[in-house]
């Protein structure tokens, strides 16, 4: 469902991704771990077409994300292609970024009406189902400001799902939350992962969560995936010393 082939990404002289290759299969839940500043967010931003590659290719569902084949050659895709590809992918960020001037329901119906062409009634029905799913049926008419951080993040998750993405990208979605609100958000994500066929690529420092929900965990460092294994293997018997040191550092920090 996601395929990176020799992807290079630089900011000026700073090479963030060097010949990065990995795949994520349809329906898989893959967690990406690694030190701060190593390029995890950049990988997700490339998939959202918020950044462009400097080399290599990315494919989503067997189609090039930001390239098109023309006369047997790969060329940069046009805006129409990008718009179509973007609709297949949703993202939830550390900062929830809800529209502060809109009620919860409108936050969720806005994009499906505008970008998918759903009728207002269809979008509202879908939004109510999603709010039910994330445990916020009673907050339909609330404004984001009236919600806790955990509730806002669950609205952000519902908003992403309202676009019916095939892929959901999660970037440290609980990092900005008070500790007591983290579990509620993680439980919602776990439930979505278990009850839908959405493909997940998740960046998190919540190692217990990662171990519970992931099909695969990739340890990422210095622009490359240095270890890629089932969670029970990677968290208990990592092969790389770098992985071991990183996991220990995360445990020490949260202790
Ligand atoms: P992570 O999410 O793993 O913490 P990021 O992908 O955010 O890492 O960043 C990887 C590296 O790229 C960092 O050194 C960061 O400073 C740099 N970087 C990210 N975005 C930009 C940008 N827009 N301009 C310049 N440098 C950037
Ligand atoms: Mg990041």
């Amino acid at each position: 469902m996601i395929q990176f082939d020799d992807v290079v990404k630089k900011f000026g002289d700073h090479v963030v991704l060097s010949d990065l290759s990995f795949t994520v299969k349809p329906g898989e839940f893959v967690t990406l771990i690694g030190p701060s500043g190593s390029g995890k967010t950049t990988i997700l931003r490339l998939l959202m077409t918020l950044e462009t590659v400097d080399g290599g290719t990315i494919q989503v569902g067997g189609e090039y994300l930001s390239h098109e084949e023309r006369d047997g050659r790969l060329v940069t895709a046009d805006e129409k292609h990008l718009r179509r590809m973007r609709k297949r992918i949703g993202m939830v960020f550390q900062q929830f970024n809800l529209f502060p001037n809109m009620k919860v329901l409108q936050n969720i119906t806005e994009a499906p009406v505008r970008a998918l062409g759903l009728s207002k009634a269809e979008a509202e029905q879908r939004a109510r189902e999603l709010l039910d799913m994330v445990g916020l049926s009673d907050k339909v008419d609330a404004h984001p400001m009236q919600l806790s951080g955990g509730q806002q993040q669950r609205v952000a998750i519902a908003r992403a799902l309202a676009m019916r993405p095939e892929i959901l990208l999660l970037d440290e979605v609980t990092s900005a939350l008070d500790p007591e609100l983290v579990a509620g958000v993680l439980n919602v994500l776990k439930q979505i992962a278990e009850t839908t066929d959405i493909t997940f690529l998740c960046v998190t420092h919540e190692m217990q969560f990662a171990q519970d929900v992931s099909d695969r965990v990739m340890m990422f460092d210095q622009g490359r995936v240095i270890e890629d294994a089932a969670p029970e293997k990677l968290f208990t018997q990592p092969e790389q010393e770098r992985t071991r040191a990183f996991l220990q550092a995360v445990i020490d920090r949260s202790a």
Side-chain angles (χ1 to χ4, degrees):
M1 185 55 103
I2 301 172
Q3 183 167 339
F4 275 53
D5 284 302
D6 300 322
V7 169
V8 177
K9 179 63 190 173
K10 303 176 200 168
F11 292 108
D13 293 340
H14 180 31
V15 180
V16 178
L17 308 179
S18 58
D19 295 331
L20 175 67
S21 299
F22 68 87
T23 59
V24 180
K25 291 192 276 251
E28 232 184 349
F29 193 115
V30 173
T31 296
L32 200 54
I33 62 170
S36 182
S38 63
K40 304 180 301 296
T41 295
T42 301
I43 292 172
L44 303 187
R45 286 176 56 83
L46 284 167
L47 280 163
M48 293 300 289
T49 69
L50 297 168
E51 300 284 354
T52 53
V53 296
D54 295 307
T57 57
I58 299 172
Q59 291 175 62
V60 168
E63 280 189 88
Y64 287 109
L65 178 64
S66 52
H67 293 87
E68 281 174 305
E69 275 174 351
R70 212 169 286 153
D71 307 328
R73 283 194 317 130
L74 272 192
V75 297
T76 304
D78 59 20
E79 187 56 33
K80 185 165 164 249
H81 176 86
L82 292 181
R83 261 202 309 276
R84 187 167 63 77
M85 295 303 283
R86 269 183 213 125
K87 282 187 191 161
R88 307 175 66 170
I89 309 174
M91 183 160 175
V92 182
F93 304 83
Q94 184 175 331
Q95 297 301 339
F96 341 115
N97 298 324
L98 297 178
F99 308 120
N101 55 330
M102 289 182 198
K103 289 179 177 181
V104 163
L105 192 72
Q106 288 167 300
N107 261 278
I108 301 171
T109 57
E110 170 73 10
V113 168
R114 194 169 33 78
L116 298 183
L118 259 61
S119 73
K120 194 157 167 262
E122 281 172 317
E124 285 189 359
Q125 190 196 336
R126 170 96 178 123
R128 286 174 198 278
E129 284 166 16
L130 288 167
L131 283 171
D132 193 34
M133 188 178 193
V134 301
L136 292 173
S137 304
D138 54 336
K139 302 294 183 192
V140 170
D141 291 318
H143 278 276
M145 241 177 47
Q146 299 168 308
L147 304 180
S148 73
Q151 289 170 334
Q152 289 186 54
Q153 192 59 299
R154 284 186 276 148
V155 173
I157 292 166
R159 181 174 64 174
L161 291 177
M163 293 295 286
R164 299 184 184 273
E166 295 164 60
I167 297 169
L168 191 57
L169 308 174
L170 305 171
D171 195 4
E172 301 195 36
V173 297
T174 58
S175 295
L177 298 179
D178 291 334
E180 71 272 22
L181 303 177
V182 169
V185 171
L186 295 182
N187 284 337
V188 160
L189 289 172
K190 186 160 185 250
Q191 189 207 333
I192 294 163
E194 284 168 356
T195 57
T196 69
D197 52 12
I198 295 173
T199 303
F200 283 83
L201 185 56
C202 170
V203 175
T204 185
H205 297 295
E206 296 288 339
M207 298 303 173
Q208 189 57 56
F209 169 72
Q211 188 156 354
D212 284 351
V213 301
S214 307
D215 297 305
R216 210 143 51 78
V217 180
M218 297 193 295
M219 170 70 194
F220 179 76
D221 191 32
Q222 301 198 333
R224 288 202 166 85
V225 174
I226 62 163
E227 190 158 358
D228 180 344
E232 49 276 19
K233 169 82 171 64
L234 192 130
F235 287 121
T236 59
Q237 296 171 289
E239 274 175 17
Q240 300 292 329
E241 182 50 40
R242 183 74 191 89
T243 308
R244 202 167 312 178
F246 173 74
L247 292 173
Q248 191 57 51
V250 173
I251 292 166
D252 290 347
R253 196 173 51 195
S254 56

